[in-house]
Amino acid sequence: MNMLTAPPLADDALSTPVTGLQEQDARSLTARMCALWNQCTPDRQRTLLEACEWIVAEGETIHSLLAGSSSRNPTGLHADRRALARAFPACFNRPKSKAPKHPLKVGIVADAVSRGIIGEDGHPLTAKRIERAVADYCTGTKYDSALIAGAVRIDLDGNPAGRVSGNATPHSREGKA
């Protein structure tokens, strides 16, 4: 049986220096993670690597992971936005992303509901949670600045799906809730 070793971390340096008991905890955690890694199937290892990439992308630190605390809420609105971005990266940006937003296809919520999205809590997102996450994505000046008459709307896969009409501009939406 081939024994696998744990993959190298994206950044081997800890974000905060650890000494004494924390250093011992870090070594213990590393040893336990390596032992668990060696027991995993290749499919499970791929899933774990994806989870690690998200932890790094969301800015988690070794210190917060060792402390057992996480700034992420797996059932909150930002978690649902992250789930949308993970399921449809060509369409949605993660929360707080600096990337520009694109106008979304009319009826995109129904498309997302029909495809189904698994949230960070491991459960499928309900239609209401998807609707709220899309509504949150479409709120704000970055999305409003993308709503230029004639701009191309995109579907879940990032393909063109119509154009922004003149009455969909931010100024015409003022006063409408």
Side-chain angles (χ1 to χ4, degrees):
M1 174 179 193
N2 283 341
M3 294 299 287
L4 299 173
T5 59
L9 296 175
D11 183 5
D12 288 332
L14 298 175
S15 61
T16 56
V18 293
T19 57
L21 187 57
Q22 285 183 335
E23 189 174 310
Q24 186 178 10
D25 288 346
R27 282 194 300 265
S28 174
L29 178 64
T30 302
R32 287 183 301 190
M33 289 173 61
C34 288
L36 289 171
W37 179 265
N38 288 328
Q39 296 172 3
C40 292
T41 64
D43 286 340
R44 184 67 177 149
Q45 289 175 349
R46 268 191 296 280
T47 303
L48 289 170
L49 285 174
E50 289 173 6
C52 289
E53 288 172 358
W54 275 95
I55 288 170
V56 170
E58 292 301 318
E60 293 292 344
T61 63
I62 297 294
H63 179 71
S64 69
L65 294 172
L66 287 174
S69 66
S70 176
S71 61
R72 295 179 1 167
N73 176 355
T75 58
L77 185 58
H78 276 74
D80 293 346
R81 283 272 310 275
R82 288 190 298 268
L84 278 175
R86 186 177 61 245
F88 310 110
C91 183
F92 295 101
N93 301 336
R94 276 185 259 146
K96 308 295 182 192
S97 169
K98 303 291 185 205
K101 293 183 178 180
H102 302 282
L104 301 178
K105 170 188 170 190
V106 174
I108 202 158
V109 172
D111 293 350
V113 169
S114 69
R115 289 205 199 173
I117 300 170
I118 302 297
E120 289 183 351
D121 57 359
H123 295 60
L125 296 184
T126 62
K128 192 66 167 173
R129 284 175 67 184
I130 293 172
E131 183 178 354
R132 275 191 234 144
V134 172
D136 183 63
Y137 183 85
C138 296
T139 301
T141 56
K142 265 205 297 189
Y143 189 80
D144 283 348
S145 65
L147 289 178
I148 300 167
V152 176
R153 293 182 178 274
I154 60 170
D155 65 7
L156 293 173
D157 300 315
N159 300 320
R163 295 203 174 270
V164 176
S165 64
N167 61 357
T169 60
H171 301 293
S172 66
R173 293 191 311 170
E174 288 177 7
K176 296 181 183 176

